[in-house]
Amino acid sequence: MVLKTFGWSFGVTALGLACAAFFWGWEAFALVAILSVLEISLSFDNAVVNAGVLKKMNAFWQKIFLTIGILIAVFGMRLIFPVVIVAISAGVGPIEAIDVAVDDPDRYEKLVTDAHPAIAAFGGMFLLMIFLDFLFDEREHRWIGWLERPLSRLKVDGLSIGTALVVLLVTAMTLAGSAHQYGGHHADKTSTVLLSGVAGLITYLFVAGLSGHFEEKLEEDEEREHEAEEAAKRAGKQPTAVGLAGKAAFFMFLYLEVLDASFSFDGVIGAFAVTNHIFWMALGLGIGAMYVRSLTVYLVRQGTLDDYVYLEHGAHYAIGALAVILLVTVRYEINEVVTGLVGVCLIAASFWSSVRRNRTIGPDGGGDDTGDGGGQAKEREVTSGV
């Protein structure tokens, strides 16, 4: 199971490290390996959240996620995206931007760093919306019950959007006026942060809205699937449910790609703390992205999210923390080690809470689980004499 799921990741790792050593030497080998570990540590929460979406998709779309999806993740976000940033920031064409990235890495790093406030605002708002929608949603299981229980009862339309816009406004008014730039300089990026943040919010609403719409349509038609198939066979046409399944899967796939893009922002920017060589960054971050993809599929196939019910909670809290960190980095530098540790600690805590819950009430929950890491459930069992 492990070899089948992670086989491609192992192969890409060996090939990538071999290429780094062959073309650029042992220094490149070491830095590519470090960047791979950096990407994995920063994106573990991404794998958990991705698994929650991917488990709704069939084996075909899981393969698409691991093939076409990884090409988009590696070549799109880890190689092309930084070049696009350079092109937009410097007002040059893509070919010239590549020349800058290859021939003048110091200028390339400066352009990407100066564009960081816009990147952080876009990615921070996108991730913040994911966290807020999760936090305000009514769920079967609650990890931090004292917080999640009252928030899930707030049935206010647009509460997530309103909260996110308030956070964006506060960020623009307090942090963007003296945004961090290359070389320790600061500049007023208020309008840039506002525009980029609103763009991130709109992107989330558009992609998540479409994927949610088609998912709901698919669920509504499940009861009629058999009848639709029979009618389609008689008429010689494809059943409606299959068409909807394709649309639903496509938009969920699109949602996963945008989600991955948002998670990759901190990895791409943080990579400059290790090296400003574009191809070394692409290799290291690409290898890390492969493991994140494989881990996502592994979690789905093993049913880990069903067995450890608070794991998804921990990942979403890590997303919320990452969103806040991205917005703070508009003005202040935060070491990527801190970012990675916050996510790892939150997920580790949620995993341990899940283990405790399974020990006390069993893996199936044994009834309604209202949270606080299984502590209240244990108290109910002790009170009832179980």
Side-chain angles (χ1 to χ4, degrees), residues 82-83 85-87 89-112 272 276-279:
V83 173
I85 292 176
V86 172
S89 302
V92 299
I95 302 300
E96 186 177 350
I98 294 176
D99 291 337
V100 170
V102 175
D103 300 329
D104 193 354
D106 291 334
R107 185 185 174 208
Y108 171 75
E109 180 181 355
K110 177 184 183 301
L111 291 171
V112 176
F272 285 105
N276 55 12
H277 194 294
I278 183 174
F279 296 115

Side-chain angles (χ1 to χ4, degrees), residues 28-39:
F29 178 92
L31 291 178
V32 167
I34 291 172
L35 287 170
S36 302
V37 176
L38 171 68
E39 177 69 8

Side-chain angles (χ1 to χ4, degrees), residues 171-188:
T171 301
M173 298 302 295
T174 60
L175 300 177
S178 184
H180 172 74
Q181 299 287 268
Y182 182 78
H185 303 294
H186 292 83
D188 187 354

Side-chain angles (χ1 to χ4, degrees), residues 143-343:
W143 182 32
I144 306 178
W146 61 267
L147 174 64
E148 297 172 11
R149 191 179 303 108
L151 291 179
S152 65
R153 293 171 182 167
L154 295 176
K155 305 299 182 182
V156 180
D157 292 338
L159 183 58
S160 297
I161 299 174
T163 304
L165 288 174
V166 169
V167 172
L168 176 62
L169 183 61
V170 171
T171 301
M173 298 302 295
T174 60
L175 300 177
S178 184
H180 172 74
Q181 299 287 268
Y182 182 78
H185 303 294
H186 292 83
D188 187 354
K189 295 284 186 176
T190 302
S191 59
T192 300
V193 167
L194 283 172
L195 182 62
S196 300
V198 170
L201 177 62
I202 292 173
T203 301
Y204 172 82
L205 294 175
F206 179 76
V207 177
L210 283 176
S211 60
H213 167 73
F214 284 106
E215 185 180 354
E216 289 178 3
K217 291 288 291 181
L218 178 62
E219 290 175 355
E220 291 174 0
D221 285 1
E222 281 182 348
E223 295 181 358
R224 302 193 301 267
E225 183 175 351
H226 180 69
E227 290 78 2
E229 289 177 353
E230 292 299 323
K233 289 179 181 178
R234 290 193 296 268
K237 300 178 180 179
Q238 289 290 335
T240 304
V242 172
L244 287 171
K247 292 179 181 178
F250 172 76
F251 280 105
M252 282 192 285
F253 172 77
L254 179 62
Y255 174 73
L256 284 174
E257 292 306 313
V258 177
L259 180 64
D260 176 78
S262 298
F263 271 99
S264 69
F265 290 153
D266 62 320
V268 172
I269 299 300
F272 285 105
V274 180
T275 179
N276 55 12
H277 194 294
I278 183 174
F279 296 115
W280 297 4
M281 284 192 294
L283 275 175
L285 298 178
I287 291 172
M290 280 292 301
Y291 281 97
V292 173
R293 281 295 204 274
S294 298
L295 180 60
T296 298
V297 174
Y298 181 81
L299 292 174
V300 172
R301 293 175 178 173
Q302 291 292 101
T304 305
L305 297 185
D306 295 328
D307 295 336
Y308 303 97
V309 296
Y310 300 133
L311 203 56
E312 194 171 0
H313 292 70
H316 278 87
Y317 279 99
I319 288 175
L322 177 57
V324 172
I325 289 173
L326 277 174
L327 294 176
V328 171
T329 57
V330 168
R331 182 170 181 175
Y332 302 103
E333 288 188 84
I334 297 179
N335 193 291
E336 59 275 1
V337 174
V338 175
T339 305
L341 285 177
V342 169

